[in-house]
Amino acid sequence: MTDKVPITREDLYKFVWEESLGKIAMRYGISPTEITVACNKLDIPKPQQGHWTKIDLGHQIPRPELPEPFYEDQTSWTFGLKNQTPVIRKQRAPRLKKKAFERLVEHPLLKDLRRHLSVARYKTREGYLKPNKKIIADIFITPECVDKAAALANTLFLAFLKEGYEVYFAGYYDSPLSRPDYDIFEDDKKERRFKDLWAPIKSTFVNIEGVAFGIKIFEMLTEEKAIYLDGDYIRLSEYTPAHQRKAKYHHTWETVIECGSRRLCLMFYSHGKWIYRFKEVDGKPLDKQASEIVQYLKDQIPELLAIKERLRLEREQRDREWEEEKRLREIERHKAFIEQAYQRSATHIEEIIQNWGEAVKVHNFFNSIERDIEKLEEPRRSELLERTRLAKELVGTVDPLKYMAAWKTPIEIYPALNKRRDREFWEDDDED
């Protein structure tokens, strides 16, 4: 065989379903493992273990179709090529091919959404779910609305995908918009803000012609009459005869509670604190309005692009003002440090002159003592001269050049002041 054997995705799919991997490997002089790797890389379905034994026994096993890739995958493989470039998954194309889209039943971002919502271990006081999974579609509902919210999210996301608009998760640092406060009460006259009560780590966005829209689905909150029974509140509308029989033997009362209304609200938010809500009303579910919702958002694009541009200009103006303010503060700080450096240098030279003057007086004192010691006789003279030498060493030099060498000029003092400023800044920041 040749060292390098290229093969297309379609040909390899045909081979693996016509004969076993061992026979294909012998033909090309490679190992079956390399064929398995190629199939995995090219997204080619392979026969299950025992497939050819069942065929030999006369079983009819249907062959799955070769899937059309959703991504721009590698479409060929070269056996025998070492360090072959791995497949790089590219971003989903703006529009899927028609057949691929028709096969798409569930949006990729909503995989296992119902399961993650249903297994939530924690709830709010009003019964809203707090899922354990933190990277999930931005949905805030009670258990009764899981299926309805999942269906709405899937229909909406597929409607965006059909139009070629990408729905994606954005984190804290790469988020184009911050998640706003939102009123959860169904009655507009009431107000109940739920910011940060529960939210996924990454917000959900759709990008439409350069404008980012945040997507939030939540169940609206309402007030209903309820019956307290055996440690729980039961809505009056759900109070069955079985509950009535049970109430005969328990202490109970009627009250008003806050609970989920079983009706959804679809909220979009964008630049400039733009917010719009689509509320579910009786007989008009939101998932039936997906195309109208997408069209409404498209109609807002010109206005939001103008708002986005205005905010960009305002942000650039604030940045310029901040940079100018910072530059002026740095100039003032620089002048203050220069003035302080000159003051410290002047003070230092005055101290040096004063110290040198004191040293000269002491030196004259020692000269006078030495003249008197020279008049003495040995061994007294040698003993006093040694004591005088030791005393002079303790006092130090009186050479003016050495005193001048110890003086710090303003240019030498300035870097120390600047360095101390930076150190104090970080120390203050640590204390905060």
Side-chain angles (χ1 to χ4, degrees):
M1 72 164 246
T2 57
D3 293 337
K4 301 176 182 178
V5 181
I7 187 171
T8 64
R9 184 171 181 263
E10 291 75 13
D11 289 342
L12 183 57
Y13 164 75
K14 180 180 178 182
F15 291 157
V16 297
W17 285 97
E18 289 181 350
E19 53 187 351
S20 64
L21 298 185
K23 293 181 180 179
I24 302 173
M26 289 178 61
R27 180 190 308 166
Y28 289 104
I30 57 177
S31 67
T33 303
E34 187 170 353
I35 301 176
T36 302
V37 171
C39 291
N40 293 335
K41 293 291 186 179
L42 301 179
D43 193 19
I44 297 174
K46 305 185 301 297
Q48 298 294 327
Q49 186 175 5
H51 172 83
W52 299 108
T53 302
K54 294 179 182 178
I55 294 294
D56 294 339
L57 294 174
H59 294 279
Q60 297 294 328
I61 301 177
R63 177 189 302 185
E65 295 183 2
L66 178 64
E68 294 186 14
F70 287 162
Y71 301 90
E72 297 177 10
D73 292 338
Q74 186 172 340
T75 58
S76 63
W77 190 262
T78 303
F79 294 129
L81 177 62
K82 295 190 176 183
N83 300 324
Q84 189 164 177
T85 304
V87 176
I88 300 176
R89 293 279 182 174
K90 297 184 179 179
Q91 192 176 37
R92 185 182 297 276
R95 284 183 182 272
L96 295 175
K97 294 182 179 179
K98 184 177 180 181
K99 291 184 179 179
F101 178 77
E102 290 175 352
R103 288 193 298 105
L104 190 62
V105 177
E106 184 179 48
H107 193 279
L109 293 186
L110 301 177
K111 184 179 180 181
D112 297 330
L113 175 65
R114 288 180 173 83
R115 180 174 64 84
H116 290 306
L117 291 174
S118 301
V119 300
R121 290 177 295 175
Y122 304 104
K123 297 181 182 179
T124 67
R125 185 183 64 181
E126 294 79 10
Y128 285 80
L129 297 172
K130 300 170 69 176
N132 308 329
K133 186 174 177 60
K134 299 305 180 184
I135 301 179
I136 193 174
D138 199 347
I139 298 177
F140 188 51
I141 53 172
T142 62
E144 293 76 13
C145 283
V146 168
D147 291 335
K148 184 191 291 188
L152 170 59
N154 191 54
T155 303
L156 181 66
F157 289 7
L158 290 179
F160 284 130
L161 196 59
K162 185 177 180 180
E163 295 291 329
Y165 304 133
E166 179 190 6
V167 182
Y168 60 97
F169 294 145
Y172 288 122
Y173 299 105
D174 59 347
S175 178
L177 303 167
S178 59
R179 186 184 289 112
D181 293 344
Y182 60 96
D183 300 330
I184 197 171
F185 257 113
E186 187 173 21
D187 187 354
D188 294 334
K189 296 180 180 179
K190 296 182 179 292
E191 184 175 323
R192 181 69 176 274
R193 298 189 182 277
F194 273 77
K195 184 178 181 182
D196 296 333
L197 183 57
W198 182 87
I201 291 178
K202 296 186 176 183
S203 302
T204 307
F205 288 96
V206 60
N207 191 296
I208 302 178
E209 299 177 12
V211 176
F213 288 92
I215 306 174
K216 178 77 180 182
I217 299 175
F218 63 89
E219 181 181 353
M220 293 179 287
L221 191 69
T222 188
E223 290 183 343
E224 284 194 18
K225 291 183 179 180
I227 302 294
Y228 178 82
L229 179 61
D230 196 19
D232 197 8
Y233 290 95
I234 302 173
R235 304 187 196 203
L236 201 59
S237 58
E238 301 174 354
Y239 196 60
T240 63
H243 292 135
Q244 294 176 5
R245 291 192 296 270
K246 188 176 181 180
K248 293 180 180 180
Y249 308 99
H250 294 81
H251 180 59
T252 182
W253 65 86
E254 184 176 322
T255 185
V256 177
I257 63 171
E258 294 178 355
C259 55
S261 65
R262 314 288 171 82
R263 289 179 290 275
L264 298 178
C265 178
L266 175 59
M267 183 180 74
F268 292 94
Y269 55 93
S270 189
H271 304 281
K273 299 182 179 180
W274 182 92
I275 296 178
Y276 194 84
R277 298 175 179 84
F278 295 90
K279 294 184 178 181
E280 180 183 353
V281 295
D282 294 335
K284 196 174 181 181
L286 291 175
D287 55 352
K288 303 297 183 181
Q289 310 173 46
S291 58
E292 291 84 352
I293 292 172
V294 175
Q295 184 59 45
Y296 177 83
L297 297 180
K298 291 169 66 175
D299 294 340
Q300 309 306 310
I301 296 301
E303 177 185 353
L304 290 174
L305 284 175
I307 293 175
K308 184 179 178 181
E309 179 65 16
R310 175 176 58 81
L311 294 176
R312 184 187 66 81
L313 295 176
E314 291 177 356
R315 183 171 61 253
E316 290 180 354
Q317 178 64 23
R318 289 195 302 270
D319 292 342
R320 286 193 296 269
E321 292 175 355
W322 167 247
E323 291 296 331
E324 179 64 16
E325 181 182 351
K326 190 164 62 172
R327 186 183 67 84
L328 294 176
R329 283 204 309 267
E330 191 63 30
I331 291 174
E332 293 299 324
R333 186 182 294 112
H334 177 70
K335 291 180 179 179
F337 282 164
I338 291 177
E339 182 178 354
Q340 189 176 358
Y342 273 97
Q343 291 177 354
R344 291 194 178 190
S345 182
T347 302
H348 190 205
I349 192 64
E350 291 175 0
E351 293 176 354
I352 287 176
I353 294 173
Q354 183 178 359
N355 293 337
W356 182 75
E358 295 294 331
V360 169
K361 293 180 181 178
V362 173
H363 185 69
N364 292 335
F365 166 75
F366 284 129
N367 288 340
S368 176
I369 289 178
E370 288 175 346
R371 287 194 296 268
D372 293 339
I373 292 175
E374 291 294 336
K375 299 176 181 178
L376 299 177
E377 296 180 356
E378 296 292 347
R380 182 64 173 167
R381 185 174 69 85
S382 298
E383 178 184 351
L384 290 176
L385 284 176
E386 181 62 21
R387 295 175 66 87
T388 302
R389 185 186 64 79
L390 293 175
K392 290 175 69 175
E393 290 180 356
L394 292 176
V395 172
T397 182
V398 293
D399 185 359
L401 295 179
K402 293 185 178 180
Y403 275 87
M404 181 56 67
W407 173 59
K408 291 187 178 298
T409 65
I411 297 177
E412 295 171 334
I413 294 176
Y414 178 83
L417 292 174
N418 203 34
K419 184 176 181 180
R420 188 184 68 180
R421 179 203 68 176
D422 295 338
R423 184 174 65 251
E424 291 175 351
F425 171 80
W426 290 112
E427 289 175 353
D428 293 342
D429 186 63
D430 292 340
E431 292 177 359
D432 294 341

